[in-house]
Amino acid sequence: MAQLSDAACFAKPPDNLVLTTGNPAHSWEKWKRRFQIYLQATGASSKPGEQKVGLLLNHIGDQGIDIYYNFTFLGDRPDTTAIVADEASRPRLPAEDRKDYDLVIRKFDEQFTRRDPQLMLREKFWLHLHREPGQPFNSWVNTVCERAGECKFPANFMEQAIRDKITFECREDSAKLKLYDMGGNLTVEKAIQVLSLREATSHELKESKTSTIDAVYVPRHQAGRRQGFRPSTPRHDERPPPKKDMGGIGFSACKYCNTTHAWGKKNCPAANHKCEKCKIKGHFSAVCRKTRVGQIDVEPEGTPKFIGVVGQRKSNNMTTHMQDDDSGWHINLLAGDEELSWCIDTDLCTSVCDA
């Protein structure tokens, strides 16, 4: 027991048996192989059957334990397969023992091979098995190989099924055409090699295009400039003192009064002056930057307006318009061989129409 305990500390036991996904028969076969490897690694292969059954139930999980306790273990019974002269001489079979490891393994085999849905699993393999978005290529290949093993393809067709599935699910037309060009020389190893290399190259190219720059050098004179940024203009009392003249004597002229004075709003003679041009307080009209809007003179209400009257006259059986007191609104012009009187546009601002 000491040797078994020491080896069990280093041997990795198999995970619990999971029967909710995939083919239960295939899942059981995989778990059984791993459990047999665990027994060999721990030296428990030569131990009594009762101990091995205990290890099996300890690692198989809740689903396997439920199946085990639903098994029917027969008692002492006659051997119906034996050929005898009379029933009195028929041999009897011993009772089945729950602690018999080989018997328990056979009952698990019978449980999972009773219904083997090969057709349903093959339909899922060819029609419903697709690569997940973002799934690595190596993980996708392992998934295809595992699902192909569940379908129990013939040994001479297993590699072809994996090769075809990987090729058909390729989403890059250029890579798929390259595989098609190989024809019958295409093996599963070549298909995996071509597609894995193409995917690695595409991934590296994408990373190189999307790489970011950690730092960007900005010159000091442009550090405060940003697109669409305009610094606000400080108020009169917040502006720094005006610069001195080139000769260093006196101050430059103030933009609000056009005179030189000490810095500060209180020292500006236009601080309390109202501009005559824009009516805003704080500067003289001589330095006002506001654009004066032209004044529109409006005639007072009730001012009389002259309205010319356009009458009618008949000339040569034709009706023409004229003004009674001003013949200058008409002009005689030739229309072909006939002279006609034409009314000139008066461009009046007020028009009166006879109702």
Side-chain angles (χ1 to χ4, degrees):
M1 292 295 296
Q3 294 180 354
L4 177 60
S5 300
D6 294 341
C9 295
F10 300 98
K12 180 181 178 181
D15 296 332
N16 294 343
L17 177 62
V18 179
L19 303 174
T20 56
T21 59
N23 186 359
H26 183 71
S27 300
W28 159 249
E29 290 294 335
K30 288 178 59 177
W31 189 90
K32 184 172 67 172
R33 288 196 300 267
R34 294 174 182 173
F35 182 71
Q36 291 174 351
I37 295 173
Y38 174 75
L39 293 180
Q40 295 176 0
T42 57
S45 299
S46 58
K47 297 300 178 180
E50 182 180 2
Q51 184 175 354
K52 290 191 289 185
V53 171
L55 290 173
L56 183 144
L57 297 177
N58 185 61
H59 294 95
I60 198 171
D62 294 338
Q63 293 180 340
I65 294 176
D66 294 339
I67 294 173
Y68 170 79
Y69 281 104
N70 287 326
F71 289 153
T72 300
F73 292 90
L74 302 177
D76 185 13
R77 63 202 182 280
D79 187 3
T80 57
T81 60
I83 302 175
V84 294
D86 54 357
E87 290 296 329
S89 61
R90 182 178 295 277
R92 300 185 65 84
L93 297 176
E96 295 180 342
D97 187 6
R98 286 182 173 270
K99 301 177 182 179
D100 187 351
Y101 175 76
D102 296 332
L103 177 61
V104 172
I105 293 296
R106 286 198 305 269
K107 285 188 174 293
F108 272 106
D109 292 339
E110 294 174 359
Q111 172 71 23
F112 291 112
T113 57
R114 187 178 304 169
R115 177 180 176 271
D116 192 4
Q118 290 186 6
L119 293 178
M120 181 183 67
L121 293 174
R122 291 182 183 184
E123 178 185 3
K124 291 182 179 180
F125 178 81
W126 292 114
L127 301 180
H128 305 292
L129 180 60
H130 303 289
R131 184 178 179 182
E132 298 293 335
Q135 183 180 11
F137 181 74
N138 294 334
S139 175
W140 164 241
V141 173
N142 293 335
T143 301
V144 173
C145 294
E146 184 176 355
R147 295 295 180 266
E150 295 177 356
C151 295
K152 295 184 178 180
F153 290 117
N156 57 353
F157 182 70
M158 180 68 71
E159 291 188 359
Q160 295 181 13
I162 297 174
R163 178 203 63 183
D164 295 347
K165 185 63 179 179
I166 294 175
T167 303
F168 298 158
E169 290 293 327
C170 179
R171 299 174 183 174
E172 295 185 8
D173 294 339
S174 58
K176 186 180 290 187
L177 290 175
K178 185 175 182 179
L179 297 178
Y180 286 166
D181 292 339
M182 296 183 182
N185 296 326
L186 179 64
T187 62
V188 63
E189 290 82 7
K190 290 182 180 179
I192 294 175
Q193 181 180 3
V194 171
L195 295 179
S196 61
L197 181 61
R198 178 63 63 90
E199 182 154 330
T201 304
S202 177
H203 184 68
E204 292 176 358
L205 182 61
K206 184 178 180 180
E207 286 185 348
S208 63
K209 288 183 178 180
T210 57
S211 59
T212 56
I213 302 175
D214 295 335
V216 178
Y217 171 75
V218 180
R220 175 176 292 182
H221 65 279
Q222 296 182 357
R225 298 180 181 178
R226 296 196 304 270
Q227 186 176 1
F229 171 76
R230 184 175 181 180
S232 59
T233 304
R235 296 182 301 181
H236 188 282
D237 54 348
E238 295 178 352
R239 290 190 179 94
K243 297 181 180 179
K244 291 185 178 181
D245 295 333
M246 296 299 295
I249 302 174
F251 298 96
S252 59
C254 175
K255 61 186 295 185
Y256 297 97
C257 63
N258 200 23
T259 61
T260 57
H261 57 79
W263 176 76
K265 183 179 180 179
K266 61 182 180 179
N267 297 320
C268 181
N272 298 320
H273 180 76
K274 186 176 182 180
C275 177
E276 298 294 337
K277 183 186 291 186
C278 65
K279 309 302 180 182
I280 298 177
K281 192 175 182 180
H283 63 275
F284 292 147
S285 58
V287 294
C288 182
R289 298 183 180 181
K290 298 290 183 180
T291 302
R292 185 174 182 179
V293 180
Q295 184 176 359
I296 300 176
D297 295 331
V298 180
E299 293 183 358
E301 187 176 358
T303 303
K305 299 181 177 62
F306 169 75
I307 300 177
V309 179
V310 179
Q312 294 184 348
R313 70 179 180 181
K314 294 184 179 180
S315 175
N316 298 330
N317 298 326
M318 296 180 61
T319 301
T320 59
H321 294 285
M322 65 170 293
Q323 184 182 6
D324 294 337
D325 59 349
D326 189 358
S327 61
W329 287 0
H330 294 77
I331 187 172
N332 296 329
L333 295 175
L334 289 176
D337 296 334
E338 185 178 0
E339 183 178 0
L340 300 177
S341 178
W342 301 80
C343 182
I344 303 174
D345 183 13
T346 60
D347 193 21
L348 294 177
C349 296
T350 304
S351 300
V352 177
C353 297
D354 188 5

